[in-house]
Amino acid sequence: MKPAIVTTRRQRSTPPAPVSSFPYHPGSLLSVLDLTVDGVSQLLIRATELENEDPIGRDHILAKRRIALLFYESSTRTRTSFELACKALGADTTLVSSLSSSIEKGESVKDTGLTLRALGAEAIILRHNSSGAAWLLEESTRLPVINAGDGMHEHPTQALLDLRTILTHLRPGLVGVAPDTLAGVTVMITGDILHSRVARSNMQLLPRVGARVLLCGPKELLPEQAARSGPGIEIERDFDAALAQSQAVMMLRIQAERLAGLQLDLDEYKANYQLTGQRLAAHAPAAVVLHPGPIIRGMEITAGVADGVQSAILEQVTNGLAIRMAVMERALTAENGGRA
Amino acid sequence: MTTLAICGGRLVDPAAGVDAAKDILLKDGRVAEIAGPGKLKNMEGAEVLDATGLVVAPGLIDIHVHLREPGQAYKETIATGTAAAAAGGFTSVAAMPNTTPVNDSPEITRWMQAPERGASVRVFPIAAATRGSKGETINDYAALKSAGAVAVTDDGRPILKDGMMRETLAAAARVGLTVIQHAEDTRMTQGASMNLGPVSFKLGLRGMPPEAESSMVERDIRLVAELRESHPHLHVAHTSTAAALAAVRQARRNGLRVTCEVAPHHFLLTEEHVGLYNTHAKMNPPLRSAADRDSMIEGILDGVVDAIATDHAPHAMHEKEIEFELAPNGITGLETALGLCLRWLHSEWKIPLGRVLSLLSAQPAALLGLKGRGTLAVGSFGDVVVFDRTAEWIYRATESKSKAKNTPFDGWEMLGKVRWTVSEGRVVHASA
Ligand SMILES: [Zn+2]
């Protein structure tokens, strides 16, 4: 590193923050920050094109290309979505899950990745319980790595599919995005922000297309520093007040055992933060409701709202397939991948 | 034993108040004579090092290193760790007791100093404060001291219980040993792998609050104050937070014997240097905020910091090539300390050369009571570093003498190149 000089508050030069060499591969998608706004736009446009394309023609795009799904955590929803997206483009997929032997025996992420590469994998989709694992895998293998969720950190394809869902409802007819596309729109995210990779990816992505992100939840699940982790992020602890400002309402799953660990009362949490039909009608009667799943009905959201007219929860699942087709096509074909 | 003359250089010996053109003669491992250029009287048969244009200074002293022996020779050995020390200009290193087994006995303390270890420079063991560093039973400090231990600590496993820490301070004071505390309230850092703040939030990593360090330092100082009559010496290892440094400053104003050290990474780097999960920027205490880092610089400038210590913590490559949260803490530091201190403390922040060298030799020697070290006055040990203070160079971890390569300073610009390191009259490192 060249010590180019950075000036601090006290006019004293100190070593500059490091420059990242990630992603090593232009097809990788480790973080939403890997993408420029234009790169996001291209993915959204391709998702729509691929969705509309004849399945027979689509089948040739990645015909016989080899993609490995490396899942250290079980996740039926995300794994199935990626698998179907790969297969829709004609690719061959292999699943290596936490139940399989090499992971069980404690082989390192690096060695598992190198083994998959030696077996001919051309890209790896990784779900891992440790934040940053996707970076480790990419650095070790130099293959296109798609982050399908790393610890509490990021889940970039989820944020992209959430963006597509929000666009469908709030900017109908628009396919691509620009830095001001969601100007004037407030997206609230409620619940266990601290442990949520979905929240982190959305918090980093949505402000870059003009949205204001409003975080809501108790201190234990939403520390103050969340608002300082990027631009366009604010905190509103009062759920009703946050609802009243929002055009999109994203609810996150609450795990009861996590509340217990934080000495939070379940009934109190529900009284303060559960999204009910009554609340929605009173404060956000036109907002679109999102939830990354899995839903715990009667916990963070009532069944009535989950199944109600404002809910876009199943659309999110469908959008996931389209987004992941575009992401996998980019992984294996893109020249520069719309890199940031 | 050979006689060695170092001639033509600029002798900088802050402890002796010397900064002048001097020749120096080392005989039988000791400084035998100091004279003006060309004026040494007893040169016959001496090997001569031409130090023209170079700085001649007391060998550097690092009071916080991990040499990994006994028990973890795959990370480092006493031989390789001290070879790295010699390459970095260090002639004395104080070795932490978190080995396998823990150095909590006179036997291990002696074993570490035995000639069979092949050390290039002097190793001063720091013994465990408690049996197995478990924080339950006090070790026999008198026996450890006579075996050569220069301080006691449970580094890495802080002494949490007030009663145990009080007992440790009192027992160490009775035999005149320093208690070194790795200040961390581990109840506040469970599962955490970096500093707590916006960066840890963004990276989805659990964070260590600065209070985990400062509250422990404040507690320890309270205990030192309570034991004031028995004059305990508390030394705070690797200080990293503004609040901890402020507590040390206040304790000193109150007349307590409390000292502290700061590592180069804590006065140079911040949590931003973790980048995207760079395990070579993972250590404990972690890299802190820019404000904390700036306080470390202030502390060095205003004198509350007593010593620069590297916390040299070698790990095998494969141990660092894993998930950030699972990777072990620590970075190497012996070969980069001088180059970074001259580049930043001296050249950039204008701290006089003598003061920088004092923080790296005279002050740490005084702190641990290493007699005859940290100065080149006649009669002291012949521990010398000779370096070109104007040479700029790039540090390459691959060329390290250490077994380990885990450093965030790979590829960094250094200022000041070590030409010779002399340990007790023997040249233990030479470079072009
Ligand atoms: Zn320590």
Side-chain angles (χ1 to χ4, degrees):
Chain A
M1 196 180 74
K2 280 269 162 194
I5 307 299
V6 175
T7 307
T8 64
R9 291 187 308 285
R10 292 172 201 180
Q11 300 299 306
R12 190 174 289 135
S13 62
T14 51
V19 180
S20 170
S21 32
F22 287 106
Y24 288 94
H25 195 286
S28 286
L29 182 59
L30 305 171
S31 159
V32 293
L33 296 171
D34 291 348
L35 298 167
T36 58
V37 171
D38 195 49
V40 173
S41 196
Q42 285 169 32
L43 278 175
L44 290 168
I45 292 165
R46 261 323 264 167
T48 301
E49 289 170 357
L50 287 166
E51 193 174 53
N52 295 332
E53 200 165 315
D54 170 27
I56 308 291
R58 207 165 61 185
D59 196 52
H60 297 303
I61 296 173
L62 297 180
K64 300 314 266 180
R65 302 293 295 271
R66 282 175 285 194
I67 299 170
L69 292 104
L70 180 52
F71 274 60
Y72 286 78
E73 281 181 349
S74 58
S75 156
T76 314
R77 173 182 304 254
T78 304
R79 197 202 68 220
T80 311
S81 177
F82 268 110
E83 231 167 354
L84 290 173
C86 294
K87 288 187 167 134
L89 302 181
D92 285 342
T93 60
T94 317
L95 173 68
V96 180
S97 77
S98 49
L99 300 173
S100 74
S101 57
S102 64
I103 295 179
E104 253 181 346
K105 280 176 196 147
E107 186 178 66
S108 71
V109 169
K110 174 179 171 158
D111 287 320
T112 303
L114 291 176
T115 303
L116 290 173
R117 190 181 72 182
L119 286 169
E122 297 172 79
I124 303 176
I125 298 162
L126 178 72
R127 162 65 65 97
H128 198 288
N129 48 7
S130 190
S131 298
W135 280 258
L136 172 66
L137 183 68
E138 207 224 13
E139 191 176 27
S140 309
T141 63
R142 305 292 167 107
L143 287 176
V145 170
I146 308 304
N147 183 0
D150 64 315
M152 323 191 308
H153 182 223
E154 277 221 45
H155 193 355
T157 56
Q158 179 71 41
L160 289 167
L161 73 88
D162 289 339
L163 172 58
R164 188 172 199 247
T165 310
I166 291 167
L167 286 175
T168 314
H169 285 262
L170 302 181
R171 297 288 184 267
L174 209 65
V175 184
V177 284
D180 60 350
T181 298
L182 289 180
V185 169
T186 295
V187 180
M188 71 180 278
I189 309 177
T190 304
D192 187 359
I193 313 280
L194 178 61
H195 299 101
S196 173
R197 49 196 170 213
V198 175
R200 281 182 182 74
S201 281
N202 272 297
M203 284 159 63
Q204 299 298 333
L205 177 66
L206 296 172
R208 294 170 68 223
V209 293
R212 166 177 175 247
V213 169
L214 198 54
L215 305 175
C216 186
K219 261 197 339 284
E220 293 82 353
L221 298 175
L222 171 56
E224 285 296 325
Q225 62 252 23
R228 292 187 285 139
S229 63
I233 305 165
E234 291 168 43
I235 290 176
E236 170 58 71
R237 304 255 176 219
D238 184 287
F239 189 46
D240 293 343
L243 277 174
Q245 301 170 56
S246 303
Q247 289 75 50
V249 176
M250 188 182 300
M251 302 303 295
L252 300 176
R253 178 168 63 119
I254 288 293
Q255 288 162 285
E257 64 275 17
R258 213 155 248 169
L259 293 184
L262 298 164
Q263 267 108 53
L264 271 175
D265 181 66
L266 202 62
D267 291 325
E268 196 184 315
Y269 183 85
K270 285 199 272 191
N272 288 330
Y273 301 104
Q274 188 185 57
L275 188 60
T276 62
Q278 206 175 18
R279 268 196 159 124
L280 201 56
H283 303 291
V288 54
V289 173
L290 297 95
H291 192 305
I295 297 173
I296 307 177
R297 289 170 186 253
M299 182 66 207
E300 68 273 5
I301 190 168
T302 60
V305 173
D307 299 332
V309 287
Q310 287 176 253
S311 168
I313 296 172
L314 291 176
E315 279 171 58
Q316 286 175 275
V317 178
T318 313
N319 283 333
L321 197 57
I323 287 291
R324 287 172 182 131
M325 281 195 283
V327 165
M328 294 320 299
E329 179 192 46
R330 169 182 173 274
L332 288 172
T333 62
E335 288 279 293
N336 80 354
R339 258 199 291 190
Chain B
M1 190 158 266
T2 55
T3 306
L4 193 67
I6 304 169
C7 300
R10 167 184 168 194
L11 178 65
V12 182
D13 182 359
V18 176
D19 185 346
K22 296 279 184 197
D23 291 353
I24 172 169
L25 190 77
L26 310 179
K27 202 167 189 169
D28 299 329
R30 298 270 182 170
V31 178
E33 188 186 350
I34 294 173
K39 298 270 177 20
L40 285 176
K41 292 193 205 78
N42 304 301
M43 286 233 346
E44 64 275 21
E47 184 190 334
V48 179
L49 302 182
D50 179 5
T52 306
L54 305 177
V55 171
V56 179
L60 310 183
I61 296 172
D62 190 344
I63 57 173
H64 194 143
V65 305
H66 299 268
L67 295 180
R68 306 303 189 201
E69 267 193 317
Q72 298 158 11
Y74 70 98
K75 292 177 193 269
E76 188 85 288
T77 63
I78 289 172
T80 58
T82 54
F90 288 90
T91 52
S92 299
V93 292
M96 288 295 167
N98 63 333
T99 45
T100 314
V102 167
N103 175 20
D104 57 6
S105 70
E107 291 71 36
I108 298 174
T109 301
R110 280 192 210 97
W111 184 90
M112 290 172 70
Q113 300 167 89
E116 294 76 37
R117 300 292 85 74
S120 297
V121 306
R122 186 57 60 178
V123 174
F124 292 100
I126 294 172
T130 65
R131 188 81 35 83
S133 282
K134 290 193 167 73
E136 283 156 17
T137 318
I138 296 265
N139 289 323
D140 182 347
Y141 294 166
L144 289 166
K145 188 179 182 183
S146 55
V150 293
V152 293
T153 187
D154 281 350
D155 186 37
R157 299 183 67 177
I159 304 173
L160 293 184
K161 288 186 219 141
D162 294 6
M164 183 52 61
M165 187 60 181
R166 183 184 292 111
E167 214 183 306
T168 301
L169 286 164
R174 281 196 289 276
V175 299
L177 279 178
T178 300
V179 176
I180 301 176
Q181 175 80 301
H182 164 124
E184 174 190 0
D185 187 336
T186 49
R187 292 162 295 201
M188 296 161 81
T189 58
Q190 290 303 312
S193 53
M194 70 174 294
N195 186 47
L196 178 72
V199 182
S200 68
F201 182 87
K202 190 172 164 182
L203 291 174
L205 295 170
R206 287 170 218 278
M208 305 184 183
E211 296 75 30
E213 174 175 287
S214 57
S215 65
M216 190 59 50
V217 171
E218 286 157 10
R219 192 275 317 251
D220 289 347
I221 288 171
R222 220 169 43 239
L223 296 174
V224 170
E226 285 171 25
L227 294 165
R228 190 188 279 267
E229 298 308 309
S230 47
H231 303 291
H233 175 202
L234 170 72
H235 178 70
V236 182
H238 41 51
T239 317
S240 68
T241 61
L245 204 57
V248 171
R249 192 178 277 117
Q250 189 54 48
R252 285 248 273 277
R253 283 199 193 114
N254 295 344
L256 300 177
R257 186 137 189 253
V258 178
T259 54
C260 70
E261 72 195 27
V262 172
H265 49 272
H266 286 131
F267 67 71
L268 288 171
L269 309 180
T270 68
E271 55 200 341
E272 298 283 349
H273 286 84
V274 169
L276 289 165
Y277 307 96
N278 180 8
T279 57
H280 290 173
K282 183 183 177 187
M283 69 290 285
N284 187 6
L287 298 175
R288 302 284 188 182
S289 68
D292 285 319
R293 186 268 317 273
D294 292 350
S295 308
M296 297 307 113
I297 301 171
E298 290 304 320
I300 292 168
L301 286 166
D302 75 14
V304 68
V305 173
D306 297 276
I308 306 287
T310 70
D311 195 3
H312 178 81
H315 291 291
M317 191 74 88
H318 71 267
E319 294 177 297
K320 283 285 198 179
E321 283 183 331
I322 64 169
E323 293 87 330
F324 188 87
E325 293 167 294
L326 304 179
N329 287 306
I331 61 170
T332 61
L334 285 163
E335 293 173 331
T336 48
L338 180 64
L340 290 170
C341 285
L342 292 177
R343 165 77 180 79
W344 293 95
L345 294 180
H346 178 53
S347 174
E348 201 67 48
W349 304 326
K350 306 299 173 205
I351 301 179
L353 182 64
R355 276 197 58 205
V356 172
L357 293 175
S358 182
L359 285 162
L360 286 162
S361 56
Q363 286 171 261
L367 203 155
L368 287 186
L370 308 180
K371 298 213 169 48
R373 314 269 173 186
T375 176
L376 290 174
V378 170
S380 2
F381 287 99
D383 287 352
V384 190
V385 58
V386 181
F387 62 94
D388 178 353
R389 79 178 178 86
T390 59
E392 293 177 0
W393 56 290
I394 305 286
Y395 181 66
R396 300 283 175 218
T398 50
E399 291 161 19
S400 176
K401 295 276 192 290
S402 167
K403 269 197 182 181
K405 317 294 168 199
N406 52 309
T407 169
F409 299 117
D410 190 23
W412 277 48
E413 281 180 9
M414 304 280 148
L415 178 65
K417 192 137 182 67
V418 174
R419 283 292 302 279
W420 292 288
T421 302
V422 181
S423 171
E424 297 179 9
R426 291 175 301 126
V427 175
V428 289
H429 174 80
S431 78

